[in-house]
Amino acid sequence: MHELSIAHSLVQLAIETAEQNHLKKIEALRVKLGVFSGVVKEALEFSFDIATEGTSIEGAHLIIEEIPLKIFCSQCSQEYVLEKPIPIKCPRCNSGTDQILEGKEIELYELVGEG
Ligand SMILES: [Zn+2]
């Protein structure tokens, strides 16, 4: 399961970051999840609970912020946020683009905890 290995990586990163910042208790992880990351939000939440079991951050919550797909259209020289990630086309001129600016990321951006 794809999400489980991602959950393990997030847990590992959170534990290392907590140690570096001398946090005793981690309450939550805030994660940015792009709609085009290929990760299913519910599956990641489920996997996260499994991945934290028996670790020092067991019981921590996973807070997921979904990031919409943002593209750059070279025809219009404009950035657009797409409401639907598929197809990846400029909403104004309808030309295809492979310049994805946001929406593919899986990023741990904040740890909520006590020092
Ligand atoms: Zn365009």
Side-chain angles (χ1 to χ4, degrees):
M1 200 168 141
H2 181 55
E3 281 78 4
L4 189 56
S5 65
I6 293 167
H8 275 298
S9 310
L10 287 173
V11 169
Q12 191 61 41
L13 183 61
I15 291 170
E16 284 169 14
T17 309
E19 281 171 5
Q20 283 162 12
N21 293 285
H22 308 290
L23 294 173
K24 291 195 192 82
K25 189 176 186 297
I26 298 296
E27 281 162 13
L29 282 70
R30 289 187 193 273
V31 171
K32 287 184 179 174
L33 183 66
V35 291
F36 211 63
S37 63
V39 170
V40 179
K41 186 185 169 204
E42 288 75 18
L44 184 60
E45 286 170 339
F46 178 76
S47 302
F48 180 77
D49 289 339
I50 297 170
T52 52
E53 256 179 41
T55 70
S56 58
I57 66 163
E58 187 171 351
H61 298 284
L62 184 66
I63 301 167
I64 295 173
E65 183 187 333
E66 287 184 282
I67 306 298
L69 195 65
K70 190 195 266 187
I71 60 155
F72 179 78
C73 176
S74 51
Q75 301 291 323
C76 309
S77 295
Q78 279 269 5
E79 292 178 7
Y80 297 101
V81 173
L82 302 190
E83 285 176 23
K84 286 185 183 171
I86 294 169
I88 302 177
K89 280 188 174 178
C90 174
R92 195 170 129 203
C93 72
N94 217 29
S95 66
T97 178
D98 56 1
Q99 297 191 63
I100 296 173
L101 304 176
E102 287 175 13
K104 288 175 90 171
E105 62 271 71
I106 304 167
E107 184 192 340
L108 176 67
Y109 73 98
E110 193 186 357
L111 282 180
V112 183
E114 288 169 18

